[in-house]
Amino acid sequence: SLSSGECVRRLEGHSLGVTSLVLSSDGSRLYSGSWDETIREWSLSSGECVRCLEGHSATVTSLVLSSDGSRFYSGSEDKTIREWSVSSGECVRCLEGHSATVMSLVLSSDGSRLYSGSDDETICEWSLSSGECVRRLEGHSSMVTSLVLSSDGSRLYSGSDDDTIREWSLSSGECVRRLEGHFSGVTSLVWSSDGSRLIAGFGNCGLLLLDWLSGE
């Protein structure tokens, strides 16, 4: 409960640690990825696991749900991204192109593009009509741990274990800005509710609020 700060229910079923979570758009279902190589679908009305999805051959590291709620995507230590049908629970496609663990995923608002950050130090842009990696963004010198898009979809922001955050123009594919010196391994990125500040989590247990308009 956010009002009391108390844990009101514990969901149990995975045999190893939970690495990633995504909530359905209507708030009725929760999807969890795990070190046990599975994804579980939970009913939040009952607290029960209603489905266990198997297919990855290593840790499931990241999850993202399509805006229409019909598909979700999972990244894994097995170097692949899997596309799942929410209605059937079946894996409908496997995207291959990274040479190391897929660490992070983000979808474009129109659902036509998927971006994946990897331990191979690159970001892949995937066309979801063809299932192909159509562009690879290079510049980081360590794993890409986190990705977020700007509200208008024209910019991609990436956090990395190389202690930097990069801003990418998606029209040109170029890195247009790099912030460094404030971090110790960027582990997560999220926008503030008004979209004016980028909040970064980093490896020495800290959080940093960045005024992205000024880059400070």
Side-chain angles (χ1 to χ4, degrees), residues 45-180:
S45 59
S46 68
E48 297 295 321
C49 176
V50 296
R51 195 157 49 181
C52 182
L53 310 181
E54 300 181 4
H56 283 295
S57 60
T59 297
V60 179
T61 54
S62 47
L63 296 171
V64 66
L65 187 71
S66 65
S67 58
D68 65 3
S70 66
R71 294 284 192 270
F72 71 92
Y73 300 84
S74 56
S76 172
E77 200 174 62
D78 66 13
K79 309 174 189 178
T80 72
I81 300 161
R82 288 182 176 261
E83 178 181 347
W84 305 82
S85 164
V86 168
S87 59
S88 70
E90 297 294 322
C91 176
V92 297
R93 188 161 51 175
C94 184
L95 309 180
E96 299 182 59
H98 284 295
S99 60
T101 301
V102 178
M103 300 296 298
S104 47
L105 298 171
V106 66
L107 271 168
S108 63
S109 58
D110 64 3
S112 67
R113 290 288 192 267
L114 176 70
Y115 300 90
S116 57
S118 172
D119 199 9
D120 66 14
E121 305 175 4
T122 73
I123 300 160
C124 275
E125 177 182 345
W126 303 86
S127 164
L128 293 180
S129 59
S130 68
E132 299 294 324
C133 175
V134 295
R135 186 163 55 180
R136 194 178 297 270
L137 308 181
E138 300 182 359
H140 283 295
S141 59
S142 188
M143 71 175 69
V144 181
T145 59
S146 45
L147 297 171
V148 292
L149 284 163
S150 63
S151 58
D152 64 2
S154 68
R155 293 286 194 270
L156 178 71
Y157 302 85
S158 56
S160 171
D161 205 39
D162 66 10
D163 304 347
T164 72
I165 298 170
R166 287 177 178 257
E167 178 183 356
W168 306 84
S169 164
L170 293 181
S171 59
S172 68
E174 298 295 322
C175 175
V176 295
R177 183 159 46 165
R178 182 178 66 182
L179 294 185
E180 58 185 332

